[in-house]
Amino acid sequence: MSHIVHRSLRSVPPVAVGASGIEIIDREGRRYIDASGGAAVSCLGHAHPDVIAAMHGQLDRIPYAHTSFFTTDAAEELADVLVSKSPPGLEHVYLVSGGSEAIEAALKLARQYFVEIGEPERSVFIARRQSYHGNTLGALAVGGNEWRRREFEPLLMHVERVSPCFEYRERRANESQSAYTDRLIAELETAIDRVGPKRVIGFCAETVVGATAGAVPPTPGYFKRIRDVLDRHGALLIADEVMCGMGRTGTTYAIEQEAVIPDLVTIAKGLGGGYQPIGAVLAHKRIITPIREGSGFFQHGHTYIGHPMAAAAALAVQKVIERDHLLDAVRARGAYLEGRLQDAFGQHAHIGDLRGRGLFRGVELVADRATKAPFDPAHRLHARVKAAAMREGLCVYPMGGPRETPFQRRRSNESRHRAGDARHRSGRLRARVRSPDPGAHGCAEARQGFGRDHARRA
């Protein structure tokens, strides 16, 4: 009997006892090809000798030091490497222990920035439907995965919701790509006006959408247009690259391909390749400077932020990526994978869309290719695909679920607007009382690792 609260409370997964390169070995001696790198994590595969050596070395030097007392060489060097590869102006790094923590830190940093510059009335984030930003309460609030949110809705802060940039599902039959992008930008403008431009903190979005919709890239120029709108209203752009960042799309940061500089970028997963729990927020100097010159500290923190073992592992992963020219490999192998997917499934009756960038790819399964009708969620096709693949010794990462109808979407939005207005009025009332002086479908994703030949070399 297992005493662990596993993801499924009705079964216990196989016990992993070893791993090397692209394979994981269970207690029974079965080998599994880790095709998805777990949840898009193991970008170098398992037991990479350089990373293992770096971790041993750090363990011998200093395994832990609390950041209220010390910094470490590993953390400082990792920050230097991340900044050296980032878009201009992203000069500051806050190290955490994973993607959800990174999003939480980014949300708080964005809010504190406006407090520090004298705009405390800004209290609302805007984010997209069919998005995922993490499972902690703040991250869950900005996320648009309704299945994950539903039970915890009463605990979540109000977030204004807009449509995803999901061309396959959302662009109308008689609509050009540019007209579709125009419509999305107009929707964001409307949302900002509805909330009130002086109340908006910023817009949070995955550069290339991950698990909830399945490797969905933006339309050309989408993020440039988003950036222009936000700049006009003094709001921030938070790029969530927890899943799509750190080389998976062919550049270190996926946002590089959009020629846009965000105010905040969140990363994790491929940052440390699964060797240690780690994530980070990269912040633009225009965010950090007024905080440094104001209160002088970021009002946030966790016990394990800047952990030297995690930093040493992540630093080693990033050094291997650079030394072995793995970004070049991602672009080349990504083009090859795209071609093979098109050859195999391009005309398949139950494949609606093949999409993604680099080695971050999604395959959307549909009941009817012509109408794009999804499979009935009751069939749990994604779970059946995963189980069948596991029986054959293959780890894949499919997702599935019901899709909102336009009517359900309108009802949901109206409900959120009412809740948000009520919370805003309630907040103002509490402030006056306290002080007399006056806030879907199914998708199987191919998240392939891009440097897992080390086991064969070793």
Side-chain angles (χ1 to χ4, degrees), residues 230-362:
L230 297 174
D231 286 346
R232 194 160 62 250
H233 294 290
L236 305 182
L237 174 59
I238 303 172
D240 180 350
E241 301 212 348
V242 168
M243 185 171 280
C244 67
M246 294 290 95
R248 196 168 298 279
T249 66
T251 50
T252 300
Y253 302 94
I255 201 72
E256 295 174 55
Q257 298 172 52
E258 304 305 316
V260 166
I261 301 175
D263 299 287
L264 298 163
V265 180
T266 59
I267 55 176
K269 295 186 183 290
L271 171 60
Y275 288 90
Q276 288 280 280
I278 189 167
V281 181
L282 278 83
H284 199 281
K285 60 185 178 182
R286 64 174 166 261
I287 303 299
I288 298 300
T289 298
I291 298 176
R292 178 188 291 121
E293 295 175 352
S295 66
F297 73 103
F298 177 30
Q299 194 171 328
H300 186 60
H302 295 286
T303 299
Y304 294 117
I305 61 173
H307 197 288
M309 287 293 293
L315 178 61
V317 169
Q318 298 309 309
K319 285 182 175 180
V320 170
I321 291 172
E322 182 171 13
R323 184 197 67 200
D324 294 353
H325 306 290
L326 295 183
L327 294 184
D328 294 337
V330 170
R331 291 188 286 271
R333 293 180 184 180
Y336 173 77
L337 176 60
E338 181 180 21
R340 292 300 300 272
L341 287 171
Q342 287 290 347
D343 291 344
F345 301 121
Q347 300 302 316
H348 195 286
H350 295 296
I351 302 297
D353 193 27
L354 300 166
R355 55 179 177 256
R357 286 182 181 170
L359 285 173
F360 191 40
R361 298 283 167 177

Side-chain angles (χ1 to χ4, degrees), residues 87-160:
L90 290 166
E91 298 180 359
H92 303 276
V93 177
Y94 190 82
L95 296 173
V96 293
S97 298
S100 294
E101 279 190 23
I103 287 289
E104 295 285 344
L107 299 179
K108 291 178 73 175
L109 190 55
R111 165 62 184 171
Q112 185 173 339
Y113 162 74
F114 281 112
V115 173
E116 299 269 358
I117 67 171
E119 298 183 30
E121 67 277 8
R122 291 189 184 262
S123 59
V124 179
F125 290 97
I126 299 176
R128 304 186 295 191
R129 292 183 293 104
Q130 288 187 273
S131 60
Y132 178 66
H133 298 292
N135 258 336
T136 49
L137 289 179
L140 197 61
V142 291
N145 186 313
E146 294 304 319
W147 175 76
R148 293 179 184 271
R149 291 168 48 92
R150 190 175 300 125
E151 294 184 33
F152 309 102
E153 187 81 37
L155 307 180
L156 305 180
M157 66 179 175
H158 169 66
V159 172
E160 195 69 13

Side-chain angles (χ1 to χ4, degrees), residues 374-388:
F375 284 96
D376 184 342
H379 293 323
R380 291 185 53 79
L381 181 63
H382 63 291
R384 293 162 67 181
V385 168
K386 180 179 178 180

